[in-house]
Amino acid sequence: MNQAKQSVRFVMAALFGLGLSMMGSTSEAAVLATDSFLVGSNSTAGQYTIGNIGGQGPTVPGFTGNWSSGSVSVTATGLSRAGATVSGTTQGGAITSTGTNARVFRNFTPTTETTTGATTGASFVGTRYLSFLAQFTGTATNYRAVELFNGGTNEGDHRKLQVGYSSTDFGTASANFGMRVNNSSTSRALSNVAFNEDVNLFVLKFDMSADNNADTVSLFINPTSDSAAAAAIVSGVNFGGFDRFAVGRFSSNAIAVDEIRLGETFADVTAVPEPTAIAMLCLVGLGALARRRQNA
C-alpha cells in the first residue's frame, strides 16, 4: 500500500510540474504584436466595442494609435479553426469588412517597426513571422486581402504586401489564394490552395538579408509545422519592412480577420496549448489519481 501511495504522489507531482512548465513556455513566447479583437462593454485595455472599428484603438501588444475609418466592423464572435489560434467564445471577436471599397489601417508600435526596419529605413536582417485567421465568404470575385504598408497609405508607393484573393493582382486570373510583394507585378505568386469559404490560418515568413535583392517572403496556409511546404514564395526582392497592418476589400463579398500575431519564430505566431486547458487536464489527472489512492 505504501508503494502505491508513493506512486500516486510521484505521478501527481509530475502532472503538476508538466502543467506549470507548459504554462510557463506559453507565456514566454516572443510575440512582438498580437490582437485577438476582444470585445467588452466599453473600450477598456485590450477590448473593442461591437460596431465600426474606425477610431477604436484599445491597448494591445505591438500596436499603437487608432484604426482608420472604413466600412469594417468588430463582431461579437471570433474566428476559430481546429488546431489553429482562436479568440475564444466568451469575449469574441473579429473584424469584418462588408461594405465595398473599404480599407482600414492600424500602426505597429515604434519598437515593432524597428524589428522590420520601418523606423530607420534600413532592412531588418533576420527572420520574422506574421499570422492571422481569415475567412473569405461569397464567390471568388474582385479584391479582398490582408495588407502591410510602410511609411504611408498610398498603394503604389507604400504597399509592401498583399495576401488574399484577387482576380488580377496575383497574376493570371485564378481560383487560388495568392500574394504580391512591393506592389509589383513581377513579385507575385499564386498559392497552391484554392479559394474557399473556410476559416484559414495564414502564416507569412520574412527572411531578410543584408544583400541586395535577397529577401524572401513565404506564405503558408494551414501549416502543420514550421517544416511544412510553403503555399507560395516570392524571392529575390528588397522587402524593406512595414509599419502598419491593413485589411482591404474592393468587392461585393466579405472578408473577416482575427488573431493577428507578429513574432520571431513559427511557434510564436501559431497554435499553442491554452493554459486553462492544460490546468484542466492536470486537475482531471489529479482527481483520477486521488480516487485511485482512496481505493488502494
Side-chain angles (χ1 to χ4, degrees), residues 78-265:
L79 301 180
S80 64
R81 178 180 174 83
T85 307
V86 298
S87 278
T89 57
T90 59
Q91 292 183 295
I95 56 174
T96 303
S97 179
T98 57
T100 58
N101 301 332
R103 175 180 284 125
V104 291
F105 300 87
R106 192 176 190 193
N107 288 11
F108 290 103
T109 60
T111 301
T112 306
E113 291 173 13
T114 302
T115 65
T116 56
T119 300
T120 62
S123 293
F124 166 80
V125 176
T127 303
R128 288 290 181 267
Y129 291 82
L130 175 72
S131 74
F132 54 89
L133 293 176
Q135 183 176 30
F136 299 76
T137 52
T139 57
T141 58
N142 300 323
Y143 181 85
R144 287 169 282 170
V146 165
E147 305 167 322
L148 297 175
F149 283 70
N150 189 35
T153 59
N154 179 274
E155 291 181 1
D157 298 325
H158 304 292
R159 187 164 60 183
K160 304 297 296 180
L161 183 78
Q162 304 156 257
V163 175
Y165 179 82
S166 172
S167 57
T168 57
D169 284 8
F170 303 142
T172 304
S174 168
N176 288 11
F177 292 117
M179 71 173 177
R180 182 166 69 160
V181 176
N182 294 338
N183 216 53
S184 170
S185 60
T186 60
S187 299
R188 58 191 182 185
L190 291 169
S191 79
N192 55 12
V193 177
F195 174 91
N196 61 76
E197 296 184 89
D198 299 334
V199 175
N200 293 290
L201 172 65
F202 292 80
V203 179
L204 290 152
K205 180 182 181 182
F206 305 97
D207 290 307
M208 311 289 282
S209 172
D211 298 329
N212 187 45
N213 290 324
D215 297 336
T216 299
V217 180
S218 303
L219 170 64
F220 304 84
I221 302 179
N222 303 321
T224 56
S225 71
D226 56 358
S227 60
I233 297 176
V234 171
S235 59
V237 296
N238 285 327
F239 181 66
F242 49 87
D243 65 1
R244 65 203 71 192
F245 185 94
V247 177
R249 176 178 177 275
F250 298 87
S251 169
S252 57
N253 298 304
I255 174 176
V257 176
D258 197 4
E259 291 296 337
I260 305 167
R261 290 189 180 186
L262 176 67
E264 297 177 344
T265 68

